[in-house]
């Protein structure tokens, strides 16, 4: 659209921020008035200074925030205005920024200024000065801009406060978790001793009890089996405490995994016979790998224990250990139970 056409479109004489565009205005005057309307309609602080920091133009938002009229600041040093009356240090910093910008440098700083409730309340602005060059490349004007960041700073402060509270809560949680870990460790150690004192005599009685009746041997075997199961659970608690404390030791040995699987499965022979469950072992007879023997056997024991738990009487459990490509080994336990629910 050409300037003349634009002028024809703007015929309203209603004031906008005190500016009235007349139908009789020349195209140049109309553009100047529209520029003034645009300037005053901008929410943020915006103005124009000469190279010495004298105010040439300031938009309405900046004036209203400080309770000023344009006549109060036009032709005056920028740093004398109400915005910077927070302190002499602020005024001096503005003067220093003008000196830097006059040399052609973009400068930026956060300030607390009088910029709300007609200058009766302070806000924090992200303030900058941009040098505007003439056609010869020399600084001709300075463009001051300010964006109200009071709410942003308040949100950041609140976020920092909440982060601090969260950190305190996390430290407290770590402290409580430490109590739990030490409790598990202490209880585990305390339970191991009486269990060992139970198992020792029972093992001795079974070993030396050829003269015992079958009924007594069966009862001693039940005591031995359940005491060992309880000791295993105590050891699990102790390992949990070690894991929580990041002190779980690993003792690697070169072991025959197939033999370890057979050894663990043999411990369930009595349960399998009682419930009529058929257990089959498949795979290689010898398959060596570096493992923590005790922990590997515990994993196998847990898998088989779960299989027996969910396999109905007369069911089947299959165990296998096989070598895969890439130096890997696959150990699997399968059963004819209901399987893991999809959920």
């Amino acid at each position: 659209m050409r300037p003349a056409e634009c002028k024809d479109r703007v015929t309203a004489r209603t004031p906008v921020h005190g500016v009235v565009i007349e139908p009789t205005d020349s195209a140049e005057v109309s553009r100047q008035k529209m520029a003034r309307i645009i300037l005053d309609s901008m929410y943020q602080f915006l103005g124009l200074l000469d190279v010495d920091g004298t105010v040439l133009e300031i938009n309405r938002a900046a004036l209203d925030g400080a309770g000023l009229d344009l006549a109060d600041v036009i032709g005056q040093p920028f740093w004398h205005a109400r915005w910077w009356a927070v302190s002499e240090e602020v005024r001096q910093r503005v003067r220093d920024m003008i000196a830097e910008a006059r040399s052609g440098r973009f400068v930026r700083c956060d300030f607390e200024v009088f910029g709300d409730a007609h200058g009766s309340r302070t806000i924090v602005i992200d303030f900058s000065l941009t040098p505007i060059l003439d056609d010869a490349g020399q600084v001709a004007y300075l463009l001051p801009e300010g964006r109200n960041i009071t709410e942003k700073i308040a949100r950041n402060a609140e976020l920092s406060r909440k982060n601090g509270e969260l950190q305190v809560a996390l430290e407290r949680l770590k402290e409580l978790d430490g109590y739990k870990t030490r409790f598990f460790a202490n209880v585990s150690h305390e339970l191991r001793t009486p269990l060992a004192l139970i198992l020792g005599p029972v093992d001795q009685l079974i070993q030396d009890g050829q003269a015992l009746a079958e009924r007594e041997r069966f009862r001693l075997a039940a005591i031995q089996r359940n005491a060992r199961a309880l000791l295993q659970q105590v050891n699990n608690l102790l390992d949990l405490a070690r894991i929580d404390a990041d002190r779980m030791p690993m003792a690697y040995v070169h072991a025959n995994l197939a033999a370890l699987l057979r050894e663990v499965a043999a411990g369930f022979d009595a349960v399998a016979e009682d419930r009529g469950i058929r257990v089959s072992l498949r795979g290689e007879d010898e398959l060596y790998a570096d493992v923590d023997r005790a922990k590997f056997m515990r994993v196998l024991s847990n898998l088989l224990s779960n299989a027996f738990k969910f396999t109905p009487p007369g069911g089947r459990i299959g165990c296998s250990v096989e070598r895969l490509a890439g130096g890997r080994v696959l150990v699997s336990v399968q059963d004819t139970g209901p399987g893991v629910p999809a959920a």
Side-chain angles (χ1 to χ4, degrees):
M1 182 180 293
R2 292 189 297 273
E5 295 173 344
C6 178
K7 176 186 172 183
D8 290 339
R9 292 283 299 276
V10 183
T11 59
R13 302 186 60 179
T14 303
V16 179
H17 300 301
V19 178
V20 178
I21 300 178
E22 301 284 356
T24 56
D25 289 338
S26 66
E28 183 64 26
V29 171
S30 292
R31 285 198 301 271
Q32 291 175 1
K33 289 184 176 181
M34 284 187 284
R36 182 74 227 184
I37 292 173
I38 293 171
L39 181 69
D40 286 340
S41 298
M42 296 186 68
Y43 177 71
Q44 64 181 6
F45 186 116
L46 194 63
L48 190 67
L49 314 177
D50 67 14
V51 293
D52 295 321
T54 302
V55 178
L56 303 177
E57 277 288 353
I58 294 292
N59 71 333
R60 177 55 53 187
L63 294 170
D64 289 345
L68 297 170
D69 291 324
L70 188 59
D72 297 329
V73 295
I74 289 292
Q76 300 297 317
F78 186 51
W79 57 88
H80 283 179
R82 169 69 176 164
W83 302 293
W84 320 109
V86 174
S87 69
E88 286 303 316
E89 288 78 11
V90 169
R91 291 187 189 275
Q92 185 58 48
R93 177 56 184 145
V94 174
R95 294 187 67 174
D96 294 342
M97 290 180 68
I98 289 172
E100 290 184 66
R102 185 167 51 195
S103 67
R105 294 176 55 189
F106 171 81
V107 288
R108 183 177 182 180
C109 184
D110 291 349
F111 280 115
E112 181 181 6
V113 301
F114 286 111
D116 191 26
H118 300 287
S120 62
R121 193 162 55 220
T122 62
I123 60 173
V124 179
I125 63 171
D126 175 5
F127 178 74
S128 65
L129 279 171
T130 303
I132 298 178
L133 307 182
D134 60 20
D135 293 345
Q138 301 299 313
V139 177
Y141 302 102
L142 303 179
L143 180 70
E145 295 181 85
R147 182 169 54 91
N148 188 345
I149 57 172
T150 307
E151 291 185 4
K152 176 183 177 182
I153 290 178
R155 287 194 299 268
N156 289 342
E158 179 66 11
L159 181 61
S160 297
R161 184 185 66 80
K162 290 183 177 179
N163 284 341
E165 292 177 353
L166 180 60
Q167 187 61 41
V168 171
L170 286 174
E171 293 299 327
R172 178 59 178 165
L173 183 61
K174 288 181 181 178
E175 182 181 4
L176 294 175
D177 193 59
Y179 290 148
K180 180 206 70 176
T181 299
R182 289 192 291 274
F183 172 78
F184 281 160
N186 291 337
V187 169
S188 300
H189 281 297
E190 292 297 327
L191 289 176
R192 279 162 60 98
T193 300
L195 283 172
L197 294 176
I198 292 171
L199 278 170
V202 170
D203 291 343
Q204 191 65 42
L205 285 172
I206 293 176
Q207 182 177 349
D208 300 336
Q210 290 83 1
L212 294 174
E214 185 64 27
R215 185 179 181 84
E216 282 72 23
R217 290 181 62 84
F218 177 80
R219 289 175 174 173
L220 285 173
I223 294 173
Q224 181 190 55
R225 181 172 64 252
N226 288 289
R228 285 179 175 173
L230 184 56
L231 181 60
Q232 183 61 58
Q233 295 304 318
V234 170
N235 288 334
N236 288 344
L237 277 178
L238 186 58
D239 280 349
L240 178 61
R242 288 170 176 163
I243 291 172
D244 283 348
D246 291 329
R247 291 198 299 267
M248 171 60 79
M250 301 295 289
Y252 289 102
V253 296
H254 198 60
N256 183 356
L257 303 188
L260 294 181
L261 178 59
R262 289 193 294 269
E263 181 180 343
V264 172
F268 292 88
D269 285 347
V271 180
E273 184 177 353
D274 289 343
R275 298 177 55 193
I277 295 175
R278 183 162 58 89
V279 179
S280 61
L281 304 180
R282 303 184 299 274
E284 304 180 34
D285 292 335
E286 293 187 353
L287 202 165
Y288 286 87
D290 292 333
V291 296
D292 183 312
R293 189 178 187 277
K295 294 180 180 60
F296 181 73
M297 293 183 70
R298 185 176 302 167
V299 170
L300 292 178
S301 179
N302 287 338
L303 290 173
L304 278 169
S305 177
N306 282 334
F308 275 98
K309 179 179 179 180
F310 294 103
T311 299
R316 299 186 306 278
I317 295 176
C319 308
S320 66
V321 55
E322 56 183 306
R323 193 186 311 274
L324 301 180
R328 296 180 299 163
V329 172
L330 174 65
V331 178
S332 63
V333 175
Q334 299 175 320
D335 60 64
T336 56
V340 180

